[in-house]
Amino acid sequence: MGVSESDFTFVETPLPIKQGSYVTIYGMESSYKVLIESTTKTIKVKAGTFKNVVILRFPNGAREYLAKGVGIIKSTDNKGKIYTELVAVKQGK
């Protein structure tokens, strides 16, 4: 059981992911369309710098930043305030 759908997100998108297209997000009680705002941005967070980050923009203006092989590296509200940021990545053996 997550808190306010915060522990997981299911995204349905055809591959390759295309900037400017819409994808469906499935939550606990609802689903909705979100915009793939970018697939090429370089984003710096406390854990480091990530290239080709996928940015999802939700209907309310909030954004999720996803890095290949890592997952969500940053989340912002509709005003750009960061409420989740990756601070470290532990490399596997």
Side-chain angles (χ1 to χ4, degrees):
M1 176 66 80
V3 177
S4 184
E5 301 182 40
S6 65
D7 292 333
F8 60 87
T9 298
F10 294 101
V11 180
E12 180 180 301
T13 183
L15 297 175
I17 296 173
K18 294 184 181 178
Q19 183 173 312
S21 63
Y22 285 83
V23 296
T24 303
I25 298 285
Y26 296 96
M28 295 277 289
E29 299 177 5
S30 62
S31 65
Y32 41 91
K33 299 280 187 185
V34 297
L35 174 67
I36 299 175
E37 187 172 87
S38 179
T39 60
T40 59
K41 295 282 185 182
T42 298
I43 302 296
K44 184 176 181 181
V45 294
K46 293 176 183 174
T49 301
F50 298 88
K51 295 181 179 180
N52 299 320
V53 171
V54 173
I55 302 173
L56 302 177
R57 187 174 72 206
F58 291 79
N60 67 358
R63 289 178 173 84
E64 295 282 349
Y65 298 76
L66 302 114
K68 184 176 181 179
V70 177
I72 297 173
I73 60 168
K74 182 167 85 169
S75 301
T76 61
D77 66 14
N78 61 346
K79 295 178 181 166
K81 180 179 177 185
I82 298 170
Y83 62 88
T84 301
E85 182 176 2
L86 187 66
V87 296
V89 176
K90 182 177 180 181
Q91 298 294 326
K93 293 181 182 180

Coordinates of all heavy atoms in Angstrom, one line a residue:
M1 N 0.9 -1.2 0.0 CA 0.0 0.0 0.0 C 0.9 1.2 0.0 O 1.7 1.4 0.9 CB -0.9 0.0 1.2 CG -1.8 1.2 1.4 SD -3.0 1.4 0.2 CE -4.2 0.3 0.7
G2 N 0.7 2.1 -1.0 CA 1.5 3.3 -1.1 C 0.8 4.5 -0.5 O -0.4 4.4 -0.1
V3 N 1.4 5.6 -0.3 CA 0.8 6.8 0.2 C 0.6 7.7 -1.0 O 1.5 8.1 -1.7 CB 1.8 7.5 1.2 CG1 1.2 8.8 1.6 CG2 2.1 6.6 2.3
S4 N -0.7 7.9 -1.3 CA -1.1 8.8 -2.4 C -0.5 8.5 -3.7 O 0.1 9.3 -4.4 CB -0.8 10.3 -2.0 OG -1.3 11.1 -3.0
E5 N -0.4 7.2 -4.0 CA 0.1 6.6 -5.3 C 1.6 7.0 -5.5 O 2.1 7.0 -6.6 CB -0.7 7.2 -6.5 CG -2.2 6.8 -6.4 CD -2.9 7.3 -7.6 OE1 -2.4 7.3 -8.7 OE2 -4.1 7.8 -7.4
S6 N 2.3 7.2 -4.4 CA 3.7 7.6 -4.5 C 4.7 6.5 -4.7 O 5.9 6.8 -5.0 CB 4.1 8.5 -3.3 OG 4.1 7.7 -2.1
D7 N 4.4 5.3 -4.4 CA 5.4 4.2 -4.4 C 5.6 3.6 -5.7 O 6.6 2.9 -5.9 CB 5.0 3.1 -3.4 CG 5.1 3.7 -2.0 OD1 5.9 4.6 -1.7 OD2 4.4 3.2 -1.1
F8 N 4.7 3.8 -6.7 CA 4.9 3.2 -8.0 C 4.1 4.0 -9.0 O 3.1 4.6 -8.7 CB 4.5 1.7 -8.0 CG 3.1 1.5 -7.7 CD1 2.1 1.5 -8.6 CD2 2.8 1.2 -6.4 CE1 0.8 1.3 -8.3 CE2 1.4 0.9 -6.1 CZ 0.5 1.0 -7.0
T9 N 4.5 3.9 -10.3 CA 3.8 4.4 -11.4 C 3.9 3.5 -12.6 O 5.0 3.0 -12.8 CB 4.4 5.8 -11.8 OG1 4.3 6.7 -10.7 CG2 3.7 6.4 -13.0
F10 N 2.8 3.2 -13.2 CA 2.9 2.4 -14.4 C 2.7 3.3 -15.6 O 1.7 4.0 -15.7 CB 1.8 1.3 -14.4 CG 2.0 0.3 -13.3 CD1 1.3 0.4 -12.1 CD2 2.9 -0.7 -13.4 CE1 1.4 -0.6 -11.1 CE2 3.1 -1.7 -12.4 CZ 2.4 -1.6 -11.2
V11 N 3.6 3.2 -16.6 CA 3.5 4.0 -17.8 C 3.4 3.1 -19.0 O 4.2 2.2 -19.2 CB 4.8 4.9 -17.9 CG1 4.7 5.8 -19.2 CG2 5.0 5.7 -16.7
E12 N 2.3 3.4 -19.8 CA 2.2 2.6 -21.0 C 2.5 3.5 -22.2 O 1.9 4.5 -22.4 CB 0.7 2.2 -21.1 CG 0.4 1.4 -22.4 CD -1.0 1.0 -22.5 OE1 -1.5 0.3 -21.6 OE2 -1.7 1.4 -23.5
T13 N 3.6 3.1 -22.9 CA 4.1 3.9 -24.0 C 4.7 3.0 -25.1 O 5.3 2.0 -24.8 CB 5.1 4.9 -23.6 OG1 5.4 5.7 -24.7 CG2 6.3 4.3 -23.0
P14 N 4.4 3.3 -26.4 CA 5.0 2.5 -27.4 C 6.5 2.9 -27.5 O 6.9 4.1 -27.2 CB 4.3 2.9 -28.7 CG 3.6 4.2 -28.3 CD 3.4 4.2 -26.9
L15 N 7.3 2.0 -28.0 CA 8.7 2.3 -28.2 C 9.0 2.5 -29.6 O 8.4 1.8 -30.4 CB 9.6 1.2 -27.6 CG 9.5 1.0 -26.1 CD1 10.3 -0.2 -25.6 CD2 9.9 2.2 -25.3
P16 N 9.9 3.4 -30.0 CA 10.6 4.3 -29.2 C 9.8 5.4 -28.6 O 8.8 5.8 -29.2 CB 11.7 4.9 -30.1 CG 11.0 4.8 -31.5 CD 10.2 3.6 -31.5
I17 N 10.2 5.9 -27.5 CA 9.5 7.0 -26.8 C 9.7 8.3 -27.7 O 10.8 8.6 -28.0 CB 10.0 7.2 -25.4 CG1 9.6 6.0 -24.6 CG2 9.3 8.5 -24.8 CD1 10.2 6.0 -23.2
K18 N 8.6 9.0 -28.0 CA 8.7 10.2 -28.8 C 8.3 11.4 -28.1 O 7.2 11.5 -27.5 CB 7.8 10.0 -30.1 CG 8.3 8.9 -31.0 CD 7.5 8.8 -32.2 CE 7.9 7.7 -33.1 NZ 7.1 7.6 -34.3
Q19 N 9.2 12.4 -28.1 CA 9.0 13.7 -27.5 C 7.7 14.3 -28.2 O 7.5 14.2 -29.4 CB 10.2 14.6 -27.7 CG 10.0 16.0 -27.1 CD 11.4 16.7 -27.2 OE1 12.4 16.2 -26.9 NE2 11.3 18.0 -27.7
G20 N 6.8 14.9 -27.4 CA 5.6 15.5 -27.9 C 4.4 14.6 -27.9 O 3.3 15.1 -28.2
S21 N 4.6 13.3 -27.7 CA 3.5 12.4 -27.7 C 2.9 12.3 -26.2 O 3.5 12.7 -25.3 CB 3.9 11.0 -28.2 OG 4.9 10.4 -27.3
Y22 N 1.8 11.7 -26.1 CA 1.1 11.4 -24.9 C 1.1 10.0 -24.5 O 1.1 9.1 -25.4 CB -0.3 11.9 -24.9 CG -0.4 13.4 -24.8 CD1 -0.3 14.2 -26.0 CD2 -0.6 14.1 -23.6 CE1 -0.4 15.6 -25.9 CE2 -0.7 15.5 -23.5 CZ -0.6 16.2 -24.7 OH -0.6 17.6 -24.6
V23 N 1.3 9.7 -23.2 CA 1.3 8.3 -22.7 C 0.2 8.2 -21.6 O -0.2 9.2 -21.0 CB 2.6 7.8 -22.2 CG1 3.7 7.8 -23.3 CG2 3.1 8.7 -21.1
T24 N -0.2 7.0 -21.3 CA -1.2 6.8 -20.2 C -0.4 6.3 -19.0 O 0.4 5.5 -19.0 CB -2.2 5.7 -20.6 OG1 -2.8 6.1 -21.9 CG2 -3.2 5.5 -19.6
I25 N -0.8 7.0 -17.9 CA -0.2 6.6 -16.5 C -1.4 6.0 -15.8 O -2.5 6.4 -15.7 CB 0.2 7.9 -15.8 CG1 1.3 8.6 -16.5 CG2 0.6 7.6 -14.3 CD1 2.6 8.0 -16.4
Y26 N -1.0 4.8 -15.2 CA -2.0 4.1 -14.4 C -1.7 4.2 -12.9 O -0.5 3.8 -12.5 CB -2.1 2.6 -14.8 CG -2.5 2.4 -16.2 CD1 -1.6 2.3 -17.2 CD2 -3.9 2.4 -16.5 CE1 -2.0 2.2 -18.6 CE2 -4.3 2.3 -17.8 CZ -3.4 2.1 -18.8 OH -3.8 2.0 -20.1
G27 N -2.6 4.7 -12.1 CA -2.4 4.8 -10.7 C -3.3 3.8 -9.9 O -3.9 2.9 -10.6
M28 N -3.4 3.9 -8.7 CA -4.2 3.0 -7.8 C -5.7 3.1 -8.2 O -6.4 2.1 -8.3 CB -4.1 3.4 -6.4 CG -2.7 3.1 -5.8 SD -2.4 1.4 -5.3 CE -3.4 1.3 -3.9
E29 N -6.2 4.3 -8.4 CA -7.6 4.5 -8.6 C -8.0 5.2 -9.9 O -9.2 5.4 -10.2 CB -8.2 5.3 -7.5 CG -8.1 4.6 -6.1 CD -8.6 5.4 -5.0 OE1 -9.2 6.4 -5.2 OE2 -8.4 4.9 -3.8
S30 N -7.0 5.6 -10.7 CA -7.3 6.4 -11.9 C -6.2 6.2 -13.0 O -5.1 5.7 -12.7 CB -7.5 7.9 -11.6 OG -6.3 8.4 -11.1
S31 N -6.5 6.6 -14.2 CA -5.5 6.7 -15.2 C -5.7 8.0 -15.9 O -6.8 8.6 -16.0 CB -5.6 5.5 -16.2 OG -6.9 5.6 -16.9
Y32 N -4.6 8.5 -16.5 CA -4.7 9.8 -17.2 C -3.5 9.9 -18.2 O -2.6 9.2 -18.1 CB -4.7 11.0 -16.3 CG -3.8 10.8 -15.1 CD1 -2.5 11.3 -15.2 CD2 -4.2 10.2 -13.9 CE1 -1.6 11.2 -14.1 CE2 -3.3 10.1 -12.9 CZ -2.0 10.6 -13.0 OH -1.1 10.4 -11.9
K33 N -3.7 10.8 -19.1 CA -2.7 11.1 -20.2 C -1.6 12.1 -19.7 O -2.0 13.1 -19.1 CB -3.3 11.6 -21.5 CG -4.3 10.6 -22.1 CD -3.6 9.6 -22.8 CE -4.6 8.7 -23.6 NZ -4.0 7.6 -24.3
V34 N -0.4 11.8 -20.0 CA 0.7 12.8 -19.7 C 1.5 13.0 -20.9 O 1.7 12.1 -21.7 CB 1.6 12.3 -18.5 CG1 0.8 12.2 -17.2 CG2 2.3 11.0 -18.8
L35 N 2.1 14.2 -21.0 CA 2.9 14.6 -22.1 C 4.4 14.1 -21.9 O 4.9 14.4 -20.9 CB 2.9 16.1 -22.3 CG 3.8 16.7 -23.4 CD1 3.3 16.3 -24.8 CD2 3.8 18.2 -23.3
I36 N 5.0 13.6 -23.0 CA 6.4 13.3 -23.0 C 7.0 14.6 -23.4 O 7.1 14.9 -24.6 CB 6.8 12.2 -23.9 CG1 6.2 10.9 -23.4 CG2 8.4 12.0 -23.9 CD1 6.4 9.7 -24.2
E37 N 7.4 15.4 -22.5 CA 7.9 16.8 -22.8 C 9.3 16.8 -23.4 O 9.6 17.6 -24.3 CB 7.9 17.6 -21.4 CG 8.2 19.0 -21.6 CD 8.1 19.8 -20.3 OE1 9.0 19.9 -19.5 OE2 7.0 20.3 -20.1
S38 N 10.1 15.9 -23.0 CA 11.5 15.8 -23.6 C 12.1 14.4 -23.4 O 11.7 13.7 -22.5 CB 12.4 16.8 -22.9 OG 13.7 16.7 -23.4
T39 N 13.0 14.1 -24.3 CA 13.7 12.8 -24.3 C 15.2 13.0 -24.4 O 16.0 12.1 -24.4 CB 13.2 11.8 -25.4 OG1 13.5 12.4 -26.6 CG2 11.8 11.5 -25.2
T40 N 15.6 14.3 -24.4 CA 17.0 14.6 -24.7 C 17.7 15.5 -23.7 O 18.9 15.8 -23.9 CB 17.1 15.3 -26.1 OG1 16.3 16.5 -26.1 CG2 16.6 14.3 -27.2
K41 N 17.0 15.9 -22.7 CA 17.6 16.9 -21.8 C 18.6 16.2 -20.9 O 18.6 15.1 -20.6 CB 16.5 17.5 -20.8 CG 15.5 18.3 -21.5 CD 16.0 19.7 -21.8 CE 14.8 20.5 -22.4 NZ 15.2 21.8 -22.8
T42 N 19.6 17.0 -20.5 CA 20.6 16.6 -19.5 C 20.2 17.3 -18.2 O 20.0 18.5 -18.2 CB 22.0 17.1 -19.9 OG1 22.3 16.4 -21.2 CG2 23.0 16.7 -18.9
I43 N 20.0 16.5 -17.1 CA 19.5 17.0 -15.9 C 20.6 16.7 -14.8 O 21.0 15.6 -14.7 CB 18.2 16.3 -15.5 CG1 17.1 16.6 -16.6 CG2 17.7 16.8 -14.1 CD1 16.7 18.0 -16.8
K44 N 20.9 17.7 -14.0 CA 21.8 17.5 -12.8 C 21.0 17.5 -11.5 O 20.2 18.4 -11.3 CB 22.8 18.7 -12.8 CG 23.8 18.6 -11.7 CD 24.8 19.7 -11.8 CE 25.9 19.5 -10.7 NZ 26.9 20.6 -10.7
V45 N 21.2 16.5 -10.8 CA 20.7 16.3 -9.4 C 21.8 16.0 -8.5 O 23.0 15.9 -8.9 CB 19.6 15.2 -9.4 CG1 18.4 15.6 -10.2 CG2 20.1 13.9 -9.8
K46 N 21.5 15.9 -7.2 CA 22.6 15.6 -6.2 C 23.3 14.4 -6.5 O 24.5 14.3 -6.2 CB 22.0 15.6 -4.8 CG 21.4 16.9 -4.3 CD 20.8 16.9 -3.0 CE 20.2 18.2 -2.6 NZ 19.4 18.2 -1.4
A47 N 22.7 13.4 -7.1 CA 23.3 12.1 -7.4 C 24.2 12.1 -8.6 O 25.0 11.2 -8.9 CB 22.3 11.0 -7.6
G48 N 24.2 13.2 -9.4 CA 25.0 13.3 -10.6 C 24.3 14.0 -11.7 O 23.2 14.5 -11.6
T49 N 24.9 13.8 -12.9 CA 24.3 14.4 -14.1 C 23.8 13.3 -15.0 O 24.6 12.3 -15.3 CB 25.3 15.3 -14.9 OG1 25.7 16.3 -14.0 CG2 24.7 15.9 -16.1
F50 N 22.6 13.4 -15.5 CA 22.0 12.3 -16.4 C 21.7 12.9 -17.7 O 21.1 13.9 -17.8 CB 20.8 11.7 -15.7 CG 21.1 11.1 -14.4 CD1 21.1 11.8 -13.2 CD2 21.4 9.7 -14.3 CE1 21.4 11.2 -12.0 CE2 21.7 9.1 -13.1 CZ 21.7 9.8 -11.9
K51 N 22.0 12.1 -18.8 CA 21.7 12.6 -20.2 C 20.5 11.8 -20.7 O 20.2 10.8 -20.2 CB 22.9 12.3 -21.1 CG 24.2 13.1 -20.7 CD 25.3 12.8 -21.7 CE 26.5 13.6 -21.3 NZ 27.6 13.4 -22.2
N52 N 19.9 12.5 -21.7 CA 18.7 11.9 -22.4 C 17.6 11.5 -21.4 O 17.0 10.4 -21.4 CB 19.1 10.7 -23.2 CG 20.1 11.1 -24.3 OD1 19.9 12.1 -24.9 ND2 21.1 10.2 -24.5
V53 N 17.3 12.4 -20.5 CA 16.3 12.2 -19.5 C 14.9 12.4 -20.1 O 14.7 13.3 -20.9 CB 16.5 13.2 -18.3 CG1 15.3 13.2 -17.3 CG2 17.8 12.9 -17.6
V54 N 14.0 11.4 -19.8 CA 12.6 11.5 -20.2 C 11.9 12.4 -19.2 O 11.9 12.1 -18.0 CB 12.0 10.2 -20.3 CG1 10.5 10.3 -20.7 CG2 12.7 9.3 -21.4
I55 N 11.2 13.4 -19.7 CA 10.5 14.3 -18.8 C 9.0 14.1 -19.1 O 8.6 14.3 -20.2 CB 10.9 15.8 -18.9 CG1 12.4 16.0 -18.7 CG2 10.1 16.7 -18.0 CD1 12.9 17.3 -19.0
L56 N 8.2 13.7 -18.1 CA 6.8 13.6 -18.2 C 6.1 14.8 -17.5 O 6.4 15.1 -16.4 CB 6.3 12.3 -17.5 CG 7.0 11.0 -18.0 CD1 6.4 9.8 -17.1 CD2 6.7 10.7 -19.4
R57 N 5.2 15.4 -18.3 CA 4.5 16.6 -17.7 C 3.0 16.1 -17.5 O 2.4 15.8 -18.4 CB 4.6 17.8 -18.6 CG 3.9 19.0 -17.9 CD 4.1 20.3 -18.6 NE 3.2 20.2 -19.8 CZ 3.4 20.9 -20.9 NH1 4.5 21.7 -21.0 NH2 2.6 20.8 -21.9
F58 N 2.6 16.2 -16.3 CA 1.3 15.8 -15.9 C 0.2 16.9 -16.2 O 0.6 18.0 -16.3 CB 1.2 15.4 -14.4 CG 2.0 14.1 -14.1 CD1 3.4 14.1 -14.0 CD2 1.4 12.9 -14.0 CE1 4.1 13.0 -13.8 CE2 2.1 11.7 -13.8 CZ 3.5 11.8 -13.7
P59 N -1.0 16.5 -16.2 CA -2.1 17.6 -16.5 C -2.1 18.7 -15.6 O -2.4 19.9 -15.9 CB -3.4 16.8 -16.4 CG -3.0 15.4 -16.7 CD -1.6 15.2 -16.2
N60 N -1.6 18.5 -14.3 CA -1.6 19.6 -13.3 C -0.3 20.5 -13.4 O -0.1 21.4 -12.6 CB -1.8 19.1 -11.9 CG -0.7 18.2 -11.4 OD1 0.3 18.0 -12.1 ND2 -0.8 17.8 -10.2
G61 N 0.6 20.1 -14.3 CA 1.8 20.9 -14.5 C 3.0 20.2 -13.7 O 4.2 20.7 -13.9
A62 N 2.8 19.2 -12.9 CA 3.9 18.6 -12.2 C 4.7 17.8 -13.2 O 4.2 17.4 -14.3 CB 3.4 17.6 -11.1
R63 N 6.0 17.5 -12.9 CA 6.9 16.8 -13.8 C 7.6 15.7 -13.1 O 8.0 15.8 -11.9 CB 7.9 17.7 -14.4 CG 7.3 18.7 -15.4 CD 8.4 19.6 -16.0 NE 7.8 20.4 -17.1 CZ 7.1 21.6 -16.9 NH1 6.9 22.0 -15.7 NH2 6.7 22.2 -17.9
E64 N 7.9 14.6 -13.8 CA 8.7 13.5 -13.3 C 9.9 13.4 -14.3 O 9.7 13.5 -15.5 CB 8.0 12.1 -13.4 CG 6.8 12.0 -12.4 CD 7.2 11.8 -11.0 OE1 8.4 11.5 -10.7 OE2 6.4 11.9 -10.1
Y65 N 11.1 13.2 -13.8 CA 12.3 13.1 -14.6 C 12.8 11.7 -14.5 O 13.2 11.3 -13.4 CB 13.3 14.1 -14.2 CG 12.9 15.6 -14.3 CD1 12.0 16.1 -13.4 CD2 13.3 16.4 -15.3 CE1 11.5 17.4 -13.5 CE2 12.9 17.7 -15.4 CZ 12.0 18.2 -14.5 OH 11.6 19.5 -14.6
L66 N 12.9 11.0 -15.6 CA 13.3 9.6 -15.6 C 14.6 9.3 -16.3 O 14.7 9.8 -17.5 CB 12.2 8.7 -16.1 CG 10.9 8.8 -15.4 CD1 9.9 9.5 -16.4 CD2 10.4 7.5 -14.9
A67 N 15.6 8.7 -15.7 CA 16.9 8.3 -16.3 C 16.9 6.8 -16.6 O 16.5 6.0 -15.8 CB 18.0 8.8 -15.4
K68 N 17.4 6.5 -17.8 CA 17.5 5.1 -18.2 C 18.4 4.3 -17.2 O 19.5 4.8 -16.8 CB 18.1 5.0 -19.6 CG 18.2 3.6 -20.1 CD 18.7 3.6 -21.6 CE 18.7 2.1 -22.1 NZ 19.1 2.1 -23.4
G69 N 17.9 3.2 -16.8 CA 18.6 2.3 -15.9 C 18.6 2.8 -14.4 O 19.2 2.1 -13.6
V70 N 18.0 3.9 -14.2 CA 17.9 4.4 -12.8 C 16.5 4.6 -12.3 O 16.1 4.1 -11.2 CB 18.7 5.8 -12.7 CG1 18.6 6.3 -11.3 CG2 20.1 5.6 -13.1
G71 N 15.7 5.2 -13.1 CA 14.3 5.5 -12.7 C 14.1 7.0 -12.5 O 14.7 7.8 -13.1
I72 N 13.2 7.3 -11.5 CA 12.9 8.7 -11.2 C 14.1 9.3 -10.5 O 14.5 8.8 -9.5 CB 11.6 8.8 -10.4 CG1 10.4 8.3 -11.1 CG2 11.4 10.3 -9.9 CD1 9.2 8.2 -10.3
I73 N 14.6 10.4 -11.1 CA 15.7 11.1 -10.5 C 15.3 12.4 -9.9 O 16.0 13.0 -9.1 CB 16.8 11.4 -11.5 CG1 16.4 12.2 -12.7 CG2 17.5 10.0 -11.9 CD1 17.5 12.7 -13.6
K74 N 14.1 12.9 -10.3 CA 13.6 14.2 -9.8 C 12.1 14.3 -10.0 O 11.6 13.8 -11.0 CB 14.3 15.4 -10.4 CG 13.9 16.7 -9.9 CD 14.8 17.8 -10.3 CE 14.5 18.4 -11.6 NZ 15.3 19.6 -11.9
S75 N 11.4 14.9 -9.1 CA 9.9 15.2 -9.3 C 9.7 16.7 -8.8 O 10.3 17.1 -7.8 CB 9.1 14.3 -8.4 OG 9.3 13.0 -8.7
T76 N 8.9 17.4 -9.6 CA 8.6 18.8 -9.3 C 7.1 19.0 -9.3 O 6.4 18.3 -10.0 CB 9.3 19.8 -10.2 OG1 8.8 19.5 -11.6 CG2 10.8 19.6 -10.2
D77 N 6.7 20.0 -8.5 CA 5.2 20.3 -8.6 C 5.0 21.3 -9.7 O 5.9 21.5 -10.5 CB 4.8 20.9 -7.2 CG 5.4 22.3 -6.9 OD1 6.0 22.9 -7.8 OD2 5.3 22.7 -5.7
N78 N 3.8 21.8 -9.9 CA 3.4 22.6 -11.0 C 4.1 24.0 -11.0 O 4.1 24.7 -12.0 CB 1.9 22.8 -11.1 CG 1.3 23.5 -9.9 OD1 2.0 23.6 -8.9 ND2 0.1 23.9 -10.0
K79 N 4.8 24.3 -9.9 CA 5.5 25.6 -9.9 C 7.0 25.4 -10.0 O 7.8 26.3 -9.9 CB 5.2 26.3 -8.6 CG 3.7 26.8 -8.5 CD 3.4 27.4 -7.2 CE 1.9 27.8 -7.3 NZ 1.4 28.2 -6.0
G80 N 7.4 24.1 -10.2 CA 8.8 23.8 -10.4 C 9.6 23.5 -9.1 O 10.8 23.2 -9.1
K81 N 8.8 23.5 -7.9 CA 9.5 23.2 -6.7 C 9.8 21.7 -6.6 O 8.9 20.8 -6.9 CB 8.5 23.5 -5.5 CG 9.1 23.2 -4.2 CD 8.2 23.6 -3.0 CE 8.8 23.2 -1.7 NZ 7.8 23.5 -0.6
I82 N 11.0 21.3 -6.3 CA 11.4 20.0 -6.2 C 10.9 19.3 -4.9 O 11.1 19.9 -3.8 CB 13.0 19.9 -6.2 CG1 13.5 20.4 -7.6 CG2 13.5 18.4 -6.0 CD1 15.0 20.6 -7.6
Y83 N 10.2 18.2 -5.1 CA 9.8 17.5 -3.9 C 10.4 16.1 -3.8 O 10.3 15.4 -2.7 CB 8.3 17.4 -3.7 CG 7.5 16.7 -4.8 CD1 7.3 15.4 -4.7 CD2 7.0 17.4 -5.9 CE1 6.6 14.7 -5.7 CE2 6.3 16.8 -6.9 CZ 6.1 15.5 -6.8 OH 5.4 14.8 -7.8
T84 N 11.1 15.6 -4.8 CA 11.8 14.4 -4.8 C 13.1 14.6 -5.6 O 13.0 15.1 -6.7 CB 11.0 13.2 -5.4 OG1 9.8 13.0 -4.7 CG2 11.8 11.9 -5.4
E85 N 14.3 14.2 -5.1 CA 15.5 14.3 -5.8 C 16.4 13.2 -5.4 O 16.6 12.9 -4.2 CB 16.2 15.6 -5.6 CG 17.4 15.8 -6.4 CD 18.1 17.2 -6.2 OE1 17.6 18.0 -5.4 OE2 19.1 17.4 -6.8
L86 N 17.0 12.5 -6.4 CA 17.9 11.4 -6.2 C 19.2 12.0 -5.6 O 19.8 12.9 -6.2 CB 18.2 10.6 -7.5 CG 19.0 9.3 -7.4 CD1 18.2 8.3 -6.5 CD2 19.3 8.8 -8.8
V87 N 19.7 11.4 -4.5 CA 20.9 12.0 -3.9 C 22.1 11.0 -4.1 O 23.3 11.5 -3.9 CB 20.7 12.3 -2.4 CG1 19.7 13.4 -2.2 CG2 20.3 11.1 -1.6
A88 N 21.9 9.8 -4.4 CA 23.0 8.8 -4.6 C 22.6 7.7 -5.4 O 21.4 7.3 -5.4 CB 23.5 8.3 -3.2
V89 N 23.5 7.1 -6.1 CA 23.3 5.9 -6.9 C 24.4 4.9 -6.6 O 25.6 5.2 -6.6 CB 23.4 6.2 -8.4 CG1 23.2 4.9 -9.2 CG2 22.3 7.1 -8.8
K90 N 24.0 3.7 -6.1 CA 25.0 2.7 -5.8 C 25.2 1.8 -7.0 O 24.2 1.2 -7.5 CB 24.6 1.9 -4.6 CG 25.6 0.9 -4.1 CD 25.1 0.2 -2.9 CE 26.1 -0.9 -2.4 NZ 25.6 -1.6 -1.2
Q91 N 26.3 1.7 -7.5 CA 26.6 0.8 -8.7 C 26.7 -0.6 -8.3 O 27.3 -1.0 -7.2 CB 27.9 1.2 -9.4 CG 27.9 2.6 -9.9 CD 26.9 2.8 -11.1 OE1 26.7 1.9 -11.8 NE2 26.3 3.9 -11.2
G92 N 26.1 -1.5 -9.1 CA 26.1 -3.0 -8.8 C 27.5 -3.5 -9.1 O 28.3 -2.9 -9.8
K93 N 27.7 -4.7 -8.7 CA 29.0 -5.4 -8.9 C 29.1 -6.0 -10.3 O 28.2 -6.4 -10.9 CB 29.3 -6.5 -7.9 CG 29.4 -5.9 -6.5 CD 29.7 -7.0 -5.5 CE 29.8 -6.4 -4.1 NZ 30.0 -7.3 -3.1

